[in-house]
């Protein structure tokens, strides 16, 4: 029997049988792992297995092919955030994206660290602007880790590395202001904070979400439009209402 004890972030939970549940957790060193939690839908376990919670997880499996049994202990709860519509939408989306997009059993330590950072920012920030930029960067990193990264180093049309203001939806490469002349309406705005660091204005943050959302939908979430992307659309709409 193999046993893995590790810290992890709860990403998704679905019913399995009358009382059990299958949880997908993101671990620092072993990537996304699924496990069966006996009594996972019980009153005691539901608050522990909320998406975004940090847990101490123990997976036990007789073979590599077998779904592991999973026991968890709560390390850090983000349950109060699930009562707030905007933070709850952010957590639901970031965790759902992770659970759907990543192959199981492949290490992504940078993504684990980044997701933990996004969740921490949602928890700590007094306003959404404090964590929305982190969410855009997380989506951009996830695209890159899965082989669909954007090339934001130089203009696809002129070769310049300065004044990059757009991204080509066709090539996923940056385009400078000069290279975009006459084609602006066909390109996606590139928010400055993705090149310069720091935060951005709300209009730039929404541009960033539009940018990453386009490539996530095209390259990764092609079969999940109806349910998973609905969570992202709810988040974006709530952000728009919050800044209106």
């Amino acid at each position: 029997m193999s046993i893995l004890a590790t810290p992890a972030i709860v990403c998704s939970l679905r019913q399995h049988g009358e009382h059990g549940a299958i949880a997908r957790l993101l671990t620092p060193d072993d990537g996304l792992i699924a496990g069966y939690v006996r009594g996972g839908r019980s009153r005691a376990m539901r608050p522990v297995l909320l998406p975004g919670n940090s847990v101490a997880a123990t997976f036990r499996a007789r073979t590599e092919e077998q779904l592991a049994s999973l026991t968890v202990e709560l390390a850090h709860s983000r349950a109060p955030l699930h009562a707030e519509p905007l933070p709850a939408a952010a957590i639901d989306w970031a965790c759902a994206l992770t659970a759907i997009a990543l192959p199981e059993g492949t290490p992504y330590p940078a993504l684990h660290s980044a997701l933990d950072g996004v969740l921490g920012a949602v928890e700590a920030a007094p306003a959404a602007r404090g964590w929305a930029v982190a969410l855009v960067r997380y989506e951009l990193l996830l695209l890159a880790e899965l082989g669909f990264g954007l090339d934001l180093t130089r203009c696809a049309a002129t070769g310049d590395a300065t004044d990059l203001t757009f991204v080509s939806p066709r090539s996923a490469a940056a385009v400078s202001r000069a290279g975009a002349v006459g084609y602006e309406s066909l390109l996606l705005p590139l928010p400055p904070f993705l090149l310069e660091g720091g935060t951005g204005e709300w209009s730039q943050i929404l541009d960033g979400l539009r940018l990453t959302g386009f490539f996530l939908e095209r390259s990764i979430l092609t079969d999940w439009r109806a349910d998973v992307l609905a969570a992202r659309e709810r988040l974006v709409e709530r952000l728009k209402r919050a800044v209106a």
Side-chain angles (χ1 to χ4, degrees), residues 6 10 12 36 51 76 78 85 92 151 158 171 222 241:
T6 177
V10 180
S12 71
Y36 172 74
H76 180 71
R78 295 188 171 97
D92 284 347
D151 181 1
T158 67
S171 67
T222 54
R241 289 198 297 269

Side-chain angles (χ1 to χ4, degrees), residues 175-215:
V175 181
S176 68
R177 194 180 309 275
V181 171
Y183 298 94
E184 292 90 344
S185 64
L186 302 177
L187 302 172
L188 297 163
L190 174 59
F193 68 82
L194 289 180
L195 300 175
E196 302 166 1
T199 187
E201 301 298 326
W202 269 116
S203 60
Q204 297 169 347
I205 291 170
L206 293 173
D207 281 343
L209 288 167
R210 179 186 170 204
L211 175 68
T212 52
F214 175 86
F215 290 104

